[in-house]
Amino acid sequence: MLVATLILLVCGYTGGTINLLEGILMWVCFIGYLGYMFVMCKKGEMQAEEIEVTDSPIWKLLVQGIIGLVLVVWGSDVTVDAATSLAQMFGMSERFIGLTIVALGTSLPELFTSVIAARKGKADIAIGNIVGSNIFNILFVVGTSALIIPVVFASNFVIDCVVAILAGVVLWACVFR
């Protein structure tokens, strides 16, 4: 996670945008990360825990999954439009709205997942959710966006990246023992 944040910081700071080549770099790093995770699982260093199997038919699970994905996409569109309108109405910068309201709205499902996992004694899922989400958002989401159109990296985002790195270091220190 720290490496992914450093990659974002370096790619954005050096040119003021994250361009196509940097998007490709992020994708390569993401695929490398997935490959690393796959190898670790195959070596047995990451043990799968027993998972409860549902009795629902596969077609029902697929339909629910598709409906959930459609609702997430629609909800994201509504959230961005509403947050942009709020930013304009209250004279706030879109960056502030993105760093607060939109970030909170998109992170609530992760928050509930982590809290429920922690309450059930599944700390690996709680921490893995946080770390995995950040890696995915930086390398895959920003990387994919940069493949489509250059992503502007405002100079103020340097502070945000430094704060993210510091928060990652604090998280690492808390779980190290």
Side-chain angles (χ1 to χ4, degrees):
M1 180 180 77
L2 295 173
V3 170
T5 308
L6 281 171
I7 290 170
L8 175 65
L9 178 61
V10 169
C11 289
Y13 185 71
T14 54
T17 62
I18 299 169
N19 60 32
L20 176 66
L21 290 177
E22 293 164 334
I24 292 170
L25 170 68
M26 289 181 171
W27 257 76
V28 167
C29 291
F30 181 70
I31 291 169
Y33 171 73
L34 290 179
Y36 167 76
M37 297 302 291
F38 181 76
V39 168
M40 295 299 285
C41 286
K42 285 292 186 186
K43 284 184 176 178
E45 294 182 26
M46 297 173 71
Q47 297 296 323
E49 296 179 17
E50 195 168 312
I51 299 172
E52 294 178 26
V53 179
T54 181
D55 292 332
S56 298
I58 188 102
W59 68 267
K60 185 176 181 182
L61 297 173
L62 288 172
V63 168
Q64 289 173 338
I66 291 169
I67 291 170
L69 286 173
V70 168
L71 290 174
V72 165
V73 170
W74 177 73
S76 298
D77 189 41
V78 169
T79 302
V80 169
D81 290 345
T84 303
S85 295
L86 283 172
Q88 293 169 348
M89 282 174 45
F90 293 111
M92 297 175 175
S93 71
E94 290 182 2
R95 177 174 170 260
F96 175 78
I97 297 295
L99 287 170
T100 56
I101 297 171
V102 176
L104 175 66
T106 58
S107 297
L108 283 177
E110 294 170 15
L111 172 66
F112 292 125
T113 300
S114 292
V115 168
I116 290 169
R119 287 185 64 183
K120 291 184 176 183
K122 309 280 185 185
D124 288 351
I125 292 175
I127 300 299
N129 182 34
I130 296 165
V131 173
S133 173
N134 286 325
I135 292 170
F136 185 85
N137 285 333
I138 292 170
L139 297 179
F140 183 78
V141 174
V142 175
T144 301
S145 298
L147 293 177
I148 298 168
I149 187 170
V151 177
V152 177
F153 190 89
S155 60
N156 293 339
F157 286 138
V158 171
I159 296 168
D160 301 331
C161 285
V162 170
V163 169
I165 289 169
L166 292 174
V169 169
V170 169
L171 175 64
W172 177 77
C174 290
V175 300
F176 182 72
R177 57 187 167 83

